């Protein structure tokens, strides 16, 4: 293969042969003694091309690592998506490991710390790590202690109480319980801290009862009336968690 022309551009060097062109990274080009009129073998051509591909993939890997952490699995996927073959990707991963730029154990520890700061429970953290290419069997149990789970759950409780303060006491507890599970906490932790939810004051609970009574009345009166309407309203409010001794006087006042 004879080099017909070499064109040096801003970020690359284009080496033209009779039937094709080879685009080299500007930092790769000086590694080879290339000049117009030089003849190279097909083996040399393939070697130059592979070297260039690996260099480009390595540069790409370094660039995306500056923006975000990647597990080995996730980074391999990125490199394959970029067009690398197995041999080239293996070489890039091996190079990064040689400089300690890929370390799944350190990756796990850093992300566990990050998700802990967001008050995620261990189950959601494990799920997030799996999404990033870390398999469950590679996540050390030592990353999660019961004391840390309790500390996070305790810190989360005031936030959840504020979030669901518009609900009556029972509904608020139900929402907080589900929120703990969705946030990744074990059942035992969820139950423990739901029992710590502060009960609404009697005045606050009565205000919420009146609000829900009015909503139920408007909704159910479209279909029911008289005694049946009263029974349906009672049932709806009991289902929401209000106590009978609070509901009954309100029903009697609004006959």
């Amino acid at each position: 293969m004879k080099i017909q022309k070499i064109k040096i551009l801003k970020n690359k060097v284009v080496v033209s042969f009779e039937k094709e062109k080879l685009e080299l990274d500007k930092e790769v080009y000086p590694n080879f003694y290339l000049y117009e009129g030089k003849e190279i073998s097909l083996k040399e051509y393939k070697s130059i091309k592979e070297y260039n591909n690996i260099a480009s993939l390595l540069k790409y890997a370094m660039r995306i690592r500056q923006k975000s952490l990647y597990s080995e699995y996730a980074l391999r996927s990125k490199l394959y998506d970029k067009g690398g073959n197995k041999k080239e990707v293996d070489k890039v991963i091996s190079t990064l490991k040689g400089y300690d730029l890929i370390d799944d154990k350190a990756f796990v520890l850093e992300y566990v710390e990050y998700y802990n700061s967001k008050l995620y429970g261990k189950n959601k953290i494990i799920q997030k790590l799996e999404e990033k290419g870390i398999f469950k069997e590679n996540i050390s149990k030592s990353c999660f202690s019961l004391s840390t789970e309790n500390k996070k759950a305790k810190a989360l409780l005031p936030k959840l109480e504020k979030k669901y303060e518009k609900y009556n006491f029972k509904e608020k507890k139900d929402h907080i319980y589900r929120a703990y599970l969705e946030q990744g906490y074990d059942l035992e932790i969820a139950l423990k801290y739901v029992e710590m939810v502060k009960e609404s004051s009697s005045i606050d609970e009565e205000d919420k009862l009146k609000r829900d009574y009015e909503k139920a009345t408007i909704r159910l009166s479209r279909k029911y009336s008289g005694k049946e309407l009263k029974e349906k309203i009672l049932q709806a409010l009991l289902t929401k968690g209000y106590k009978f001794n609070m509901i009954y006087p309100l029903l009697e006042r609004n006959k």
Side-chain angles (χ1 to χ4, degrees), residues 193-207:
Y193 286 92
V194 162
E195 289 307 308
M196 297 182 186
V197 175
K198 295 176 183 176
E199 191 164 0
S200 307
S201 68
S202 57
I203 295 175
D204 187 40
E205 195 78 352
E206 285 177 7
D207 287 341

Side-chain angles (χ1 to χ4, degrees), residues 38 57 61 114 131 155 168 218 222-223:
K38 181 178 181 179
L57 289 172
Y114 169 71
E131 290 171 359
N168 67 50
I218 293 171
R222 296 169 186 159
K223 189 175 180 181

Side-chain angles (χ1 to χ4, degrees), residues 109-126:
L109 291 174
E110 187 160 346
Y111 262 91
V112 168
E113 184 178 349
Y114 169 71
Y115 289 128
N116 278 341
S117 70
K118 295 174 74 70
L119 303 182
Y120 287 177
K122 70 173 184 179
N123 300 319
K124 189 164 186 177
I125 294 175
I126 290 172

Side-chain angles (χ1 to χ4, degrees), residues 153-164:
K154 184 178 180 180
L156 182 60
L157 184 57
K159 299 178 185 292
L160 294 177
E161 287 188 300
K162 183 175 179 60
K163 181 177 180 179
Y164 299 114

Side-chain angles (χ1 to χ4, degrees), residues 59-252:
K59 184 183 287 188
Y60 169 72
M62 295 293 289
R63 186 170 68 251
I64 63 174
R65 278 194 75 265
Q66 291 176 347
K67 298 178 181 178
S68 178
L69 282 174
Y70 287 89
S71 65
E72 179 180 336
Y73 177 87
L75 190 54
R76 280 183 179 275
S77 296
K78 284 282 188 181
L79 294 173
Y80 283 127
D81 289 343
K82 197 68 176 174
N85 59 41
K86 187 178 185 307
K87 183 179 178 181
E88 293 166 349
V89 170
D90 284 347
K91 180 63 178 177
V92 171
I93 295 297
S94 176
T95 301
L96 292 172
K97 281 185 173 181
Y99 288 99
D100 292 325
L101 295 175
I102 294 180
D103 185 343
D104 279 357
K105 289 182 179 178
F107 176 90
V108 169
L109 291 174
E110 187 160 346
Y111 262 91
V112 168
E113 184 178 349
Y114 169 71
Y115 289 128
N116 278 341
S117 70
K118 295 174 74 70
L119 303 182
Y120 287 177
K122 70 173 184 179
N123 300 319
K124 189 164 186 177
I125 294 175
I126 290 172
Q127 176 192 332
K128 291 286 186 181
L129 287 169
E130 287 179 330
E131 290 171 359
K132 291 185 176 293
I134 300 292
F135 298 105
K136 193 171 184 177
E137 56 268 24
N138 295 327
I139 302 171
S140 173
K141 292 181 180 179
S142 63
C143 294
F144 307 101
S145 68
L146 184 58
S147 61
T148 299
E149 290 295 289
N150 275 293
K151 185 178 179 181
K152 291 184 294 181
K154 184 178 180 180
L156 182 60
L157 184 57
K159 299 178 185 292
L160 294 177
E161 287 188 300
K162 183 175 179 60
K163 181 177 180 179
Y164 299 114
E165 62 184 355
K166 70 177 183 179
Y167 296 97
N168 67 50
F169 183 56
K170 179 183 179 298
E171 287 181 317
K172 181 164 68 173
K173 289 180 69 173
D174 289 344
H175 279 288
I176 290 174
Y177 171 72
R178 287 194 293 271
Y180 270 118
L181 295 182
E182 289 170 2
Q183 198 76 350
Y185 290 92
D186 284 341
L187 178 65
E188 294 78 7
I189 295 282
L191 290 172
K192 176 181 177 180
Y193 286 92
V194 162
E195 289 307 308
M196 297 182 186
V197 175
K198 295 176 183 176
E199 191 164 0
S200 307
S201 68
S202 57
I203 295 175
D204 187 40
E205 195 78 352
E206 285 177 7
D207 287 341
K208 289 169 181 172
L209 172 59
K210 290 176 183 177
R211 177 201 65 196
D212 287 335
Y213 169 81
E214 291 173 1
K215 287 182 179 179
T217 301
I218 293 171
R219 176 170 55 84
L220 294 170
S221 60
R222 296 169 186 159
K223 189 175 180 181
Y224 306 100
S225 61
K227 183 180 179 181
E228 189 176 13
L229 173 60
K230 182 177 177 181
E231 290 174 350
K232 292 293 183 181
I233 292 173
L234 174 61
Q235 186 59 47
L237 295 175
L238 287 171
T239 300
K240 275 186 165 289
Y242 294 105
K243 296 176 182 178
F244 179 80
N245 61 1
M246 288 184 67
I247 303 169
Y248 186 73
L250 182 60
L251 290 172
E252 287 299 301

